[in-house]
Amino acid sequence: MARSTDKTLRNQVMYQIFVRNFSEEGTFSAVRERLSEIKDLGVDIIWLMPIHPVGKVKRKGSLGSPYAISDYRAVNPEFGTLDDFKALVDDIHRHQMKCIIDVVYNHTSPDSVLSKEHPDWFYHKEDGSFGNRVGDWSDIIDLDYSNKELWSYQIETLKMWAEIVDGFRCDVAPLIPLEFWLKARKEVETVRKGAIWLSESVEPEFIRYLRSQGMTALSDSEIYNAFDICYDYDIYREFKDYLSSKGSLSRYADAMMRQEYIYPDNFVKLRFLENHDQTRAAFLIPDERTLRNWTAFLYFQKGLTLIYAGQEYGAAHLPSLFDKDTVDFIKRIDLSAQMKRLYSMKKDPLFTDSVYNVRAAGESFIVASHQKGERKAVGVFSLKGESGLVEVDLPDGFYENILTGEETEVFRCGVQSHGEPIVLLVKR
């Protein structure tokens, strides 16, 4: 585990933006216009998906994937200039938020600056041509980290951006040697003390596949040596299986509890219902009441909460990575007021460092709790929007549901759920 990882990251909310599709203009300046609204939602960190120029060779779609980068040290001119980007980051800081950017270090576009200037820094197929080792990524070519000159270039690039931003979200970080990330973190610290490091850790099945192909594939336990935050993909399959009725709720709860003893004490997970690679939450969970419960549980979980732009208004369409496909901010399911209340809850120090427990109550309810000394928060979440009597570990009495301000009775260790999320806080 990164020894300097601060547990207060568990009290924070991150908001993900793809500049191209965040607005009709698709510019840094257009993002600036929405910063007050984003801050008001309850956000601590803005994650900007890749801001760099996109390659033109073997490009997918009309505009190409932002993850097929042609120059790590430049900004995409479609978004604006470097000065425009700096102005955006300055404005994010004025709104008392931090900014992290995407780092895509496993590969570049086939026509990248590095492929032209340093072709020896790349993986080559048997015929000597550029290639990649994951078949469906046809618009990129892989870098080869056996070359230490590449390490120096990449780390110097990180230090350059660390003069401006507060940290990095690192794309498919497990495909790159751990020793590189350890060295990168140490050197970036000299430029940006306390920089945030988020790893896109990958699914267990993908790790096994990559290892079967003789490739580097770091587990979460390994990647935590260099990173503060890892994705929740180690339990994402159980989440999806429950939603599709392929798996049980208890299996999902058990998977979450397993994280409590396989990772170090200060582990931080990125908790999400959706991101740019996954189906929108409102598409997976179209019922508004059920979505409100899942959203409340998202914030209640132990870890850093991720919101993908548009999620606050129930956007159901996942924007394309390859074309102009502007996020629909029409308020079909307006979760913004709920998110503001949940943000206040998440700031409670109880959510920083607690004994965390999760269990399934049948196939419809999750009961979770945070406890530190005599302070305790208990959450009851109806994940099918159903009513029912749910057992909770609280003394009988009346408690305030801090999500609504309403009085809720616990009687004979049971609470009556009417299908809406409940969070009861014992204030001692």
PDB file of all heavy atoms in Angstrom, residues 15-17 21-22 34 37-38 41 274 280-282 291 307-317 319 327-336 339:
ATOM      1  N   TYR A  15     -15.754  13.700  -9.780  1.00  0.00           N
ATOM      2  CA  TYR A  15     -16.659  13.925 -10.908  1.00  0.00           C
ATOM      3  C   TYR A  15     -15.872  13.773 -12.197  1.00  0.00           C
ATOM      4  O   TYR A  15     -14.869  14.465 -12.418  1.00  0.00           O
ATOM      5  CB  TYR A  15     -17.254  15.326 -10.805  1.00  0.00           C
ATOM      6  CG  TYR A  15     -18.405  15.617 -11.733  1.00  0.00           C
ATOM      7  CD1 TYR A  15     -19.717  15.312 -11.368  1.00  0.00           C
ATOM      8  CD2 TYR A  15     -18.196  16.232 -12.960  1.00  0.00           C
ATOM      9  CE1 TYR A  15     -20.791  15.619 -12.204  1.00  0.00           C
ATOM     10  CE2 TYR A  15     -19.254  16.535 -13.799  1.00  0.00           C
ATOM     11  CZ  TYR A  15     -20.551  16.223 -13.423  1.00  0.00           C
ATOM     12  OH  TYR A  15     -21.608  16.521 -14.257  1.00  0.00           O
ATOM     13  N   GLN A  16     -16.304  12.866 -13.065  1.00  0.00           N
ATOM     14  CA  GLN A  16     -15.572  12.521 -14.287  1.00  0.00           C
ATOM     15  C   GLN A  16     -16.122  13.283 -15.486  1.00  0.00           C
ATOM     16  O   GLN A  16     -17.330  13.286 -15.730  1.00  0.00           O
ATOM     17  CB  GLN A  16     -15.672  11.019 -14.540  1.00  0.00           C
ATOM     18  CG  GLN A  16     -14.979  10.562 -15.820  1.00  0.00           C
ATOM     19  CD  GLN A  16     -15.209   9.087 -16.117  1.00  0.00           C
ATOM     20  OE1 GLN A  16     -15.870   8.390 -15.373  1.00  0.00           O
ATOM     21  NE2 GLN A  16     -14.660   8.613 -17.226  1.00  0.00           N
ATOM     22  N   ILE A  17     -15.219  13.893 -16.267  1.00  0.00           N
ATOM     23  CA  ILE A  17     -15.603  14.692 -17.436  1.00  0.00           C
ATOM     24  C   ILE A  17     -14.799  14.268 -18.663  1.00  0.00           C
ATOM     25  O   ILE A  17     -13.568  14.174 -18.612  1.00  0.00           O
ATOM     26  CB  ILE A  17     -15.360  16.190 -17.172  1.00  0.00           C
ATOM     27  CG1 ILE A  17     -16.320  16.705 -16.087  1.00  0.00           C
ATOM     28  CG2 ILE A  17     -15.512  17.007 -18.446  1.00  0.00           C
ATOM     29  CD1 ILE A  17     -16.068  18.141 -15.678  1.00  0.00           C
ATOM     30  N   ASN A  21     -17.354  15.641 -25.057  1.00  0.00           N
ATOM     31  CA  ASN A  21     -18.788  15.399 -25.022  1.00  0.00           C
ATOM     32  C   ASN A  21     -19.492  15.986 -23.806  1.00  0.00           C
ATOM     33  O   ASN A  21     -20.681  15.745 -23.597  1.00  0.00           O
ATOM     34  CB  ASN A  21     -19.063  13.887 -25.099  1.00  0.00           C
ATOM     35  CG  ASN A  21     -18.798  13.336 -26.482  1.00  0.00           C
ATOM     36  OD1 ASN A  21     -18.922  14.051 -27.480  1.00  0.00           O
ATOM     37  ND2 ASN A  21     -18.412  12.066 -26.556  1.00  0.00           N
ATOM     38  N   PHE A  22     -18.780  16.803 -23.041  1.00  0.00           N
ATOM     39  CA  PHE A  22     -19.395  17.417 -21.874  1.00  0.00           C
ATOM     40  C   PHE A  22     -20.320  18.568 -22.281  1.00  0.00           C
ATOM     41  O   PHE A  22     -21.268  18.895 -21.574  1.00  0.00           O
ATOM     42  CB  PHE A  22     -18.308  17.929 -20.927  1.00  0.00           C
ATOM     43  CG  PHE A  22     -18.830  18.509 -19.644  1.00  0.00           C
ATOM     44  CD1 PHE A  22     -19.394  17.693 -18.665  1.00  0.00           C
ATOM     45  CD2 PHE A  22     -18.770  19.880 -19.407  1.00  0.00           C
ATOM     46  CE1 PHE A  22     -19.885  18.227 -17.477  1.00  0.00           C
ATOM     47  CE2 PHE A  22     -19.252  20.421 -18.218  1.00  0.00           C
ATOM     48  CZ  PHE A  22     -19.813  19.592 -17.255  1.00  0.00           C
ATOM     49  N   ARG A  34     -19.483  25.476 -16.071  1.00  0.00           N
ATOM     50  CA  ARG A  34     -20.321  24.603 -15.250  1.00  0.00           C
ATOM     51  C   ARG A  34     -19.704  24.300 -13.884  1.00  0.00           C
ATOM     52  O   ARG A  34     -20.253  23.492 -13.122  1.00  0.00           O
ATOM     53  CB  ARG A  34     -20.553  23.271 -15.992  1.00  0.00           C
ATOM     54  CG  ARG A  34     -21.255  23.403 -17.356  1.00  0.00           C
ATOM     55  CD  ARG A  34     -22.755  23.560 -17.205  1.00  0.00           C
ATOM     56  NE  ARG A  34     -23.344  22.412 -16.556  1.00  0.00           N
ATOM     57  CZ  ARG A  34     -23.653  21.262 -17.186  1.00  0.00           C
ATOM     58  NH1 ARG A  34     -23.391  21.115 -18.476  1.00  0.00           N
ATOM     59  NH2 ARG A  34     -24.223  20.277 -16.519  1.00  0.00           N
ATOM     60  N   GLU A  37     -21.863  24.809 -10.689  1.00  0.00           N
ATOM     61  CA  GLU A  37     -22.900  23.779 -10.597  1.00  0.00           C
ATOM     62  C   GLU A  37     -22.314  22.466 -10.094  1.00  0.00           C
ATOM     63  O   GLU A  37     -22.916  21.780  -9.247  1.00  0.00           O
ATOM     64  CB  GLU A  37     -23.537  23.579 -11.974  1.00  0.00           C
ATOM     65  CG  GLU A  37     -24.596  22.515 -12.038  1.00  0.00           C
ATOM     66  CD  GLU A  37     -25.086  22.286 -13.450  1.00  0.00           C
ATOM     67  OE1 GLU A  37     -24.979  23.208 -14.289  1.00  0.00           O
ATOM     68  OE2 GLU A  37     -25.577  21.167 -13.737  1.00  0.00           O
ATOM     69  N   ILE A  38     -21.144  22.102 -10.601  1.00  0.00           N
ATOM     70  CA  ILE A  38     -20.493  20.862 -10.178  1.00  0.00           C
ATOM     71  C   ILE A  38     -20.108  20.949  -8.705  1.00  0.00           C
ATOM     72  O   ILE A  38     -20.334  20.008  -7.933  1.00  0.00           O
ATOM     73  CB  ILE A  38     -19.258  20.577 -11.060  1.00  0.00           C
ATOM     74  CG1 ILE A  38     -19.696  20.275 -12.492  1.00  0.00           C
ATOM     75  CG2 ILE A  38     -18.444  19.411 -10.492  1.00  0.00           C
ATOM     76  CD1 ILE A  38     -18.546  20.247 -13.486  1.00  0.00           C
ATOM     77  N   LEU A  41     -22.968  20.486  -6.376  1.00  0.00           N
ATOM     78  CA  LEU A  41     -23.439  19.103  -6.282  1.00  0.00           C
ATOM     79  C   LEU A  41     -22.779  18.377  -5.113  1.00  0.00           C
ATOM     80  O   LEU A  41     -23.351  17.444  -4.545  1.00  0.00           O
ATOM     81  CB  LEU A  41     -23.128  18.372  -7.599  1.00  0.00           C
ATOM     82  CG  LEU A  41     -23.635  16.953  -7.780  1.00  0.00           C
ATOM     83  CD1 LEU A  41     -25.165  16.917  -7.806  1.00  0.00           C
ATOM     84  CD2 LEU A  41     -23.075  16.358  -9.079  1.00  0.00           C
ATOM     85  N   GLU A 274     -21.258   3.660 -12.525  1.00  0.00           N
ATOM     86  CA  GLU A 274     -20.991   3.772 -13.955  1.00  0.00           C
ATOM     87  C   GLU A 274     -19.690   4.528 -14.157  1.00  0.00           C
ATOM     88  O   GLU A 274     -19.212   5.234 -13.271  1.00  0.00           O
ATOM     89  CB  GLU A 274     -22.132   4.502 -14.664  1.00  0.00           C
ATOM     90  CG  GLU A 274     -22.340   5.930 -14.156  1.00  0.00           C
ATOM     91  CD  GLU A 274     -23.455   6.655 -14.889  1.00  0.00           C
ATOM     92  OE1 GLU A 274     -24.636   6.368 -14.617  1.00  0.00           O
ATOM     93  OE2 GLU A 274     -23.141   7.523 -15.719  1.00  0.00           O
ATOM     94  N   ARG A 280     -24.497   3.028 -18.398  1.00  0.00           N
ATOM     95  CA  ARG A 280     -25.026   4.035 -17.490  1.00  0.00           C
ATOM     96  C   ARG A 280     -25.922   3.402 -16.424  1.00  0.00           C
ATOM     97  O   ARG A 280     -26.681   2.475 -16.688  1.00  0.00           O
ATOM     98  CB  ARG A 280     -25.844   5.059 -18.265  1.00  0.00           C
ATOM     99  CG  ARG A 280     -25.029   6.046 -19.073  1.00  0.00           C
ATOM    100  CD  ARG A 280     -24.466   7.143 -18.209  1.00  0.00           C
ATOM    101  NE  ARG A 280     -24.124   8.342 -18.976  1.00  0.00           N
ATOM    102  CZ  ARG A 280     -23.611   9.423 -18.445  1.00  0.00           C
ATOM    103  NH1 ARG A 280     -23.370   9.463 -17.141  1.00  0.00           N
ATOM    104  NH2 ARG A 280     -23.314  10.465 -19.180  1.00  0.00           N
ATOM    105  N   ALA A 281     -25.827   3.941 -15.203  1.00  0.00           N
ATOM    106  CA  ALA A 281     -26.624   3.416 -14.094  1.00  0.00           C
ATOM    107  C   ALA A 281     -28.113   3.515 -14.378  1.00  0.00           C
ATOM    108  O   ALA A 281     -28.887   2.603 -14.079  1.00  0.00           O
ATOM    109  CB  ALA A 281     -26.283   4.165 -12.811  1.00  0.00           C
ATOM    110  N   ALA A 282     -28.551   4.631 -14.980  1.00  0.00           N
ATOM    111  CA  ALA A 282     -29.975   4.819 -15.250  1.00  0.00           C
ATOM    112  C   ALA A 282     -30.483   3.863 -16.330  1.00  0.00           C
ATOM    113  O   ALA A 282     -31.686   3.624 -16.420  1.00  0.00           O
ATOM    114  CB  ALA A 282     -30.253   6.259 -15.658  1.00  0.00           C
ATOM    115  N   LEU A 291     -33.035   3.377  -8.223  1.00  0.00           N
ATOM    116  CA  LEU A 291     -31.806   4.118  -8.518  1.00  0.00           C
ATOM    117  C   LEU A 291     -31.426   5.028  -7.349  1.00  0.00           C
ATOM    118  O   LEU A 291     -30.236   5.174  -7.041  1.00  0.00           O
ATOM    119  CB  LEU A 291     -31.981   4.932  -9.803  1.00  0.00           C
ATOM    120  CG  LEU A 291     -30.745   5.675 -10.308  1.00  0.00           C
ATOM    121  CD1 LEU A 291     -29.580   4.719 -10.550  1.00  0.00           C
ATOM    122  CD2 LEU A 291     -31.073   6.443 -11.594  1.00  0.00           C
ATOM    123  N   ILE A 307     -18.787   9.995  -9.691  1.00  0.00           N
ATOM    124  CA  ILE A 307     -19.963  10.365 -10.464  1.00  0.00           C
ATOM    125  C   ILE A 307     -19.503  10.687 -11.887  1.00  0.00           C
ATOM    126  O   ILE A 307     -18.596  11.506 -12.085  1.00  0.00           O
ATOM    127  CB  ILE A 307     -20.660  11.610  -9.865  1.00  0.00           C
ATOM    128  CG1 ILE A 307     -21.091  11.340  -8.420  1.00  0.00           C
ATOM    129  CG2 ILE A 307     -21.851  12.037 -10.718  1.00  0.00           C
ATOM    130  CD1 ILE A 307     -22.076  10.207  -8.252  1.00  0.00           C
ATOM    131  N   TYR A 308     -20.104  10.044 -12.888  1.00  0.00           N
ATOM    132  CA  TYR A 308     -19.787  10.330 -14.293  1.00  0.00           C
ATOM    133  C   TYR A 308     -20.760  11.396 -14.780  1.00  0.00           C
ATOM    134  O   TYR A 308     -21.976  11.285 -14.576  1.00  0.00           O
ATOM    135  CB  TYR A 308     -19.903   9.051 -15.122  1.00  0.00           C
ATOM    136  CG  TYR A 308     -19.442   9.170 -16.563  1.00  0.00           C
ATOM    137  CD1 TYR A 308     -18.535  10.143 -16.968  1.00  0.00           C
ATOM    138  CD2 TYR A 308     -19.919   8.283 -17.526  1.00  0.00           C
ATOM    139  CE1 TYR A 308     -18.105  10.233 -18.275  1.00  0.00           C
ATOM    140  CE2 TYR A 308     -19.494   8.355 -18.849  1.00  0.00           C
ATOM    141  CZ  TYR A 308     -18.598   9.338 -19.217  1.00  0.00           C
ATOM    142  OH  TYR A 308     -18.179   9.420 -20.529  1.00  0.00           O
ATOM    143  N   ALA A 309     -20.222  12.437 -15.418  1.00  0.00           N
ATOM    144  CA  ALA A 309     -21.029  13.586 -15.837  1.00  0.00           C
ATOM    145  C   ALA A 309     -22.350  13.151 -16.481  1.00  0.00           C
ATOM    146  O   ALA A 309     -22.357  12.382 -17.443  1.00  0.00           O
ATOM    147  CB  ALA A 309     -20.235  14.453 -16.808  1.00  0.00           C
ATOM    148  N   GLY A 310     -23.442  13.660 -15.942  1.00  0.00           N
ATOM    149  CA  GLY A 310     -24.776  13.309 -16.403  1.00  0.00           C
ATOM    150  C   GLY A 310     -25.482  12.335 -15.492  1.00  0.00           C
ATOM    151  O   GLY A 310     -26.714  12.219 -15.534  1.00  0.00           O
ATOM    152  N   GLN A 311     -24.735  11.631 -14.677  1.00  0.00           N
ATOM    153  CA  GLN A 311     -25.316  10.655 -13.750  1.00  0.00           C
ATOM    154  C   GLN A 311     -26.270  11.332 -12.768  1.00  0.00           C
ATOM    155  O   GLN A 311     -27.285  10.742 -12.363  1.00  0.00           O
ATOM    156  CB  GLN A 311     -24.198   9.941 -12.992  1.00  0.00           C
ATOM    157  CG  GLN A 311     -24.649   8.842 -12.040  1.00  0.00           C
ATOM    158  CD  GLN A 311     -23.480   8.119 -11.389  1.00  0.00           C
ATOM    159  OE1 GLN A 311     -22.347   8.187 -11.866  1.00  0.00           O
ATOM    160  NE2 GLN A 311     -23.737   7.427 -10.299  1.00  0.00           N
ATOM    161  N   GLU A 312     -25.969  12.580 -12.424  1.00  0.00           N
ATOM    162  CA  GLU A 312     -26.793  13.301 -11.459  1.00  0.00           C
ATOM    163  C   GLU A 312     -28.201  13.583 -11.982  1.00  0.00           C
ATOM    164  O   GLU A 312     -29.119  13.866 -11.214  1.00  0.00           O
ATOM    165  CB  GLU A 312     -26.109  14.606 -11.027  1.00  0.00           C
ATOM    166  CG  GLU A 312     -25.954  15.639 -12.129  1.00  0.00           C
ATOM    167  CD  GLU A 312     -24.644  15.533 -12.901  1.00  0.00           C
ATOM    168  OE1 GLU A 312     -24.178  14.399 -13.139  1.00  0.00           O
ATOM    169  OE2 GLU A 312     -24.104  16.589 -13.280  1.00  0.00           O
ATOM    170  N   TYR A 313     -28.377  13.491 -13.317  1.00  0.00           N
ATOM    171  CA  TYR A 313     -29.688  13.727 -13.916  1.00  0.00           C
ATOM    172  C   TYR A 313     -30.248  12.484 -14.595  1.00  0.00           C
ATOM    173  O   TYR A 313     -31.140  12.569 -15.438  1.00  0.00           O
ATOM    174  CB  TYR A 313     -29.610  14.884 -14.916  1.00  0.00           C
ATOM    175  CG  TYR A 313     -29.272  16.202 -14.267  1.00  0.00           C
ATOM    176  CD1 TYR A 313     -28.355  17.072 -14.842  1.00  0.00           C
ATOM    177  CD2 TYR A 313     -29.861  16.580 -13.059  1.00  0.00           C
ATOM    178  CE1 TYR A 313     -28.038  18.283 -14.237  1.00  0.00           C
ATOM    179  CE2 TYR A 313     -29.541  17.784 -12.446  1.00  0.00           C
ATOM    180  CZ  TYR A 313     -28.644  18.636 -13.045  1.00  0.00           C
ATOM    181  OH  TYR A 313     -28.321  19.826 -12.441  1.00  0.00           O
ATOM    182  N   GLY A 314     -29.711  11.331 -14.228  1.00  0.00           N
ATOM    183  CA  GLY A 314     -30.251  10.078 -14.746  1.00  0.00           C
ATOM    184  C   GLY A 314     -30.024   9.869 -16.229  1.00  0.00           C
ATOM    185  O   GLY A 314     -30.839   9.215 -16.901  1.00  0.00           O
ATOM    186  N   ALA A 315     -28.915  10.397 -16.774  1.00  0.00           N
ATOM    187  CA  ALA A 315     -28.606  10.156 -18.191  1.00  0.00           C
ATOM    188  C   ALA A 315     -28.434   8.655 -18.417  1.00  0.00           C
ATOM    189  O   ALA A 315     -27.674   8.003 -17.706  1.00  0.00           O
ATOM    190  CB  ALA A 315     -27.334  10.907 -18.583  1.00  0.00           C
ATOM    191  N   ALA A 316     -29.150   8.114 -19.406  1.00  0.00           N
ATOM    192  CA  ALA A 316     -29.136   6.670 -19.639  1.00  0.00           C
ATOM    193  C   ALA A 316     -28.277   6.272 -20.826  1.00  0.00           C
ATOM    194  O   ALA A 316     -27.908   5.104 -20.964  1.00  0.00           O
ATOM    195  CB  ALA A 316     -30.563   6.162 -19.842  1.00  0.00           C
ATOM    196  N   HIS A 317     -27.935   7.233 -21.687  1.00  0.00           N
ATOM    197  CA  HIS A 317     -27.123   6.936 -22.867  1.00  0.00           C
ATOM    198  C   HIS A 317     -25.650   7.116 -22.554  1.00  0.00           C
ATOM    199  O   HIS A 317     -25.236   8.156 -22.028  1.00  0.00           O
ATOM    200  CB  HIS A 317     -27.516   7.858 -24.021  1.00  0.00           C
ATOM    201  CG  HIS A 317     -26.578   7.797 -25.185  1.00  0.00           C
ATOM    202  ND1 HIS A 317     -26.463   6.685 -25.997  1.00  0.00           N
ATOM    203  CD2 HIS A 317     -25.675   8.703 -25.652  1.00  0.00           C
ATOM    204  CE1 HIS A 317     -25.554   6.913 -26.926  1.00  0.00           C
ATOM    205  NE2 HIS A 317     -25.051   8.121 -26.738  1.00  0.00           N
ATOM    206  N   PRO A 319     -22.128   8.028 -23.645  1.00  0.00           N
ATOM    207  CA  PRO A 319     -21.531   8.746 -24.775  1.00  0.00           C
ATOM    208  C   PRO A 319     -20.436   7.932 -25.466  1.00  0.00           C
ATOM    209  O   PRO A 319     -19.658   7.238 -24.813  1.00  0.00           O
ATOM    210  CB  PRO A 319     -20.954  10.008 -24.130  1.00  0.00           C
ATOM    211  CG  PRO A 319     -21.703  10.161 -22.856  1.00  0.00           C
ATOM    212  CD  PRO A 319     -21.991   8.766 -22.386  1.00  0.00           C
ATOM    213  N   VAL A 327     -23.281  14.760 -23.852  1.00  0.00           N
ATOM    214  CA  VAL A 327     -24.040  14.269 -22.701  1.00  0.00           C
ATOM    215  C   VAL A 327     -25.399  14.970 -22.641  1.00  0.00           C
ATOM    216  O   VAL A 327     -25.498  16.185 -22.832  1.00  0.00           O
ATOM    217  CB  VAL A 327     -23.273  14.522 -21.387  1.00  0.00           C
ATOM    218  CG1 VAL A 327     -24.133  14.156 -20.180  1.00  0.00           C
ATOM    219  CG2 VAL A 327     -21.966  13.750 -21.367  1.00  0.00           C
ATOM    220  N   ASP A 328     -26.426  14.179 -22.379  1.00  0.00           N
ATOM    221  CA  ASP A 328     -27.780  14.703 -22.232  1.00  0.00           C
ATOM    222  C   ASP A 328     -27.998  15.096 -20.769  1.00  0.00           C
ATOM    223  O   ASP A 328     -28.119  14.238 -19.907  1.00  0.00           O
ATOM    224  CB  ASP A 328     -28.788  13.625 -22.662  1.00  0.00           C
ATOM    225  CG  ASP A 328     -30.220  14.095 -22.579  1.00  0.00           C
ATOM    226  OD1 ASP A 328     -30.445  15.242 -22.149  1.00  0.00           O
ATOM    227  OD2 ASP A 328     -31.127  13.320 -22.942  1.00  0.00           O
ATOM    228  N   PHE A 329     -28.032  16.407 -20.500  1.00  0.00           N
ATOM    229  CA  PHE A 329     -28.206  16.884 -19.133  1.00  0.00           C
ATOM    230  C   PHE A 329     -29.666  17.215 -18.805  1.00  0.00           C
ATOM    231  O   PHE A 329     -29.942  17.901 -17.834  1.00  0.00           O
ATOM    232  CB  PHE A 329     -27.321  18.104 -18.873  1.00  0.00           C
ATOM    233  CG  PHE A 329     -25.871  17.772 -18.644  1.00  0.00           C
ATOM    234  CD1 PHE A 329     -24.932  17.937 -19.645  1.00  0.00           C
ATOM    235  CD2 PHE A 329     -25.449  17.275 -17.422  1.00  0.00           C
ATOM    236  CE1 PHE A 329     -23.595  17.632 -19.433  1.00  0.00           C
ATOM    237  CE2 PHE A 329     -24.107  16.961 -17.197  1.00  0.00           C
ATOM    238  CZ  PHE A 329     -23.185  17.142 -18.208  1.00  0.00           C
ATOM    239  N   ILE A 330     -30.602  16.718 -19.619  1.00  0.00           N
ATOM    240  CA  ILE A 330     -32.018  16.895 -19.295  1.00  0.00           C
ATOM    241  C   ILE A 330     -32.326  16.128 -18.015  1.00  0.00           C
ATOM    242  O   ILE A 330     -31.910  14.976 -17.843  1.00  0.00           O
ATOM    243  CB  ILE A 330     -32.903  16.379 -20.457  1.00  0.00           C
ATOM    244  CG1 ILE A 330     -32.667  17.225 -21.709  1.00  0.00           C
ATOM    245  CG2 ILE A 330     -34.383  16.411 -20.065  1.00  0.00           C
ATOM    246  CD1 ILE A 330     -33.369  16.713 -22.947  1.00  0.00           C
ATOM    247  N   LYS A 331     -33.071  16.749 -17.117  1.00  0.00           N
ATOM    248  CA  LYS A 331     -33.311  16.171 -15.796  1.00  0.00           C
ATOM    249  C   LYS A 331     -34.435  15.135 -15.830  1.00  0.00           C
ATOM    250  O   LYS A 331     -35.549  15.388 -15.369  1.00  0.00           O
ATOM    251  CB  LYS A 331     -33.613  17.281 -14.792  1.00  0.00           C
ATOM    252  CG  LYS A 331     -32.480  18.291 -14.654  1.00  0.00           C
ATOM    253  CD  LYS A 331     -32.830  19.401 -13.681  1.00  0.00           C
ATOM    254  CE  LYS A 331     -31.713  20.425 -13.590  1.00  0.00           C
ATOM    255  NZ  LYS A 331     -32.005  21.512 -12.649  1.00  0.00           N
ATOM    256  N   ARG A 332     -34.122  13.967 -16.361  1.00  0.00           N
ATOM    257  CA  ARG A 332     -35.125  12.895 -16.406  1.00  0.00           C
ATOM    258  C   ARG A 332     -35.345  12.284 -15.013  1.00  0.00           C
ATOM    259  O   ARG A 332     -36.465  12.051 -14.593  1.00  0.00           O
ATOM    260  CB  ARG A 332     -34.690  11.818 -17.399  1.00  0.00           C
ATOM    261  CG  ARG A 332     -34.752  12.287 -18.848  1.00  0.00           C
ATOM    262  CD  ARG A 332     -34.517  11.140 -19.828  1.00  0.00           C
ATOM    263  NE  ARG A 332     -34.749  11.575 -21.192  1.00  0.00           N
ATOM    264  CZ  ARG A 332     -33.834  12.177 -21.950  1.00  0.00           C
ATOM    265  NH1 ARG A 332     -32.626  12.412 -21.443  1.00  0.00           N
ATOM    266  NH2 ARG A 332     -34.108  12.558 -23.178  1.00  0.00           N
ATOM    267  N   ILE A 333     -34.256  11.982 -14.348  1.00  0.00           N
ATOM    268  CA  ILE A 333     -34.301  11.537 -12.951  1.00  0.00           C
ATOM    269  C   ILE A 333     -33.325  12.433 -12.210  1.00  0.00           C
ATOM    270  O   ILE A 333     -32.113  12.242 -12.287  1.00  0.00           O
ATOM    271  CB  ILE A 333     -33.894  10.056 -12.808  1.00  0.00           C
ATOM    272  CG1 ILE A 333     -34.796   9.141 -13.639  1.00  0.00           C
ATOM    273  CG2 ILE A 333     -33.932   9.636 -11.344  1.00  0.00           C
ATOM    274  CD1 ILE A 333     -34.400   7.663 -13.590  1.00  0.00           C
ATOM    275  N   ASP A 334     -33.840  13.434 -11.525  1.00  0.00           N
ATOM    276  CA  ASP A 334     -32.969  14.426 -10.904  1.00  0.00           C
ATOM    277  C   ASP A 334     -32.492  13.923  -9.544  1.00  0.00           C
ATOM    278  O   ASP A 334     -33.233  13.915  -8.568  1.00  0.00           O
ATOM    279  CB  ASP A 334     -33.725  15.746 -10.754  1.00  0.00           C
ATOM    280  CG  ASP A 334     -32.796  16.887 -10.341  1.00  0.00           C
ATOM    281  OD1 ASP A 334     -31.630  16.610  -9.993  1.00  0.00           O
ATOM    282  OD2 ASP A 334     -33.245  18.048 -10.359  1.00  0.00           O
ATOM    283  N   LEU A 335     -31.235  13.486  -9.506  1.00  0.00           N
ATOM    284  CA  LEU A 335     -30.628  12.971  -8.282  1.00  0.00           C
ATOM    285  C   LEU A 335     -29.765  14.019  -7.586  1.00  0.00           C
ATOM    286  O   LEU A 335     -29.141  13.724  -6.566  1.00  0.00           O
ATOM    287  CB  LEU A 335     -29.762  11.747  -8.607  1.00  0.00           C
ATOM    288  CG  LEU A 335     -30.478  10.553  -9.256  1.00  0.00           C
ATOM    289  CD1 LEU A 335     -29.448   9.522  -9.719  1.00  0.00           C
ATOM    290  CD2 LEU A 335     -31.463   9.927  -8.291  1.00  0.00           C
ATOM    291  N   SER A 336     -29.721  15.225  -8.140  1.00  0.00           N
ATOM    292  CA  SER A 336     -28.767  16.222  -7.644  1.00  0.00           C
ATOM    293  C   SER A 336     -29.045  16.623  -6.195  1.00  0.00           C
ATOM    294  O   SER A 336     -28.105  16.753  -5.396  1.00  0.00           O
ATOM    295  CB  SER A 336     -28.771  17.451  -8.552  1.00  0.00           C
ATOM    296  OG  SER A 336     -30.060  18.041  -8.620  1.00  0.00           O
ATOM    297  N   MET A 339     -27.869  13.858  -4.006  1.00  0.00           N
ATOM    298  CA  MET A 339     -26.416  13.798  -3.958  1.00  0.00           C
ATOM    299  C   MET A 339     -25.844  14.854  -3.016  1.00  0.00           C
ATOM    300  O   MET A 339     -24.851  14.608  -2.322  1.00  0.00           O
ATOM    301  CB  MET A 339     -25.833  13.957  -5.362  1.00  0.00           C
ATOM    302  CG  MET A 339     -26.025  12.730  -6.235  1.00  0.00           C
ATOM    303  SD  MET A 339     -25.333  12.968  -7.895  1.00  0.00           S
ATOM    304  CE  MET A 339     -25.502  11.299  -8.572  1.00  0.00           C
TER     305      MET A 339
END
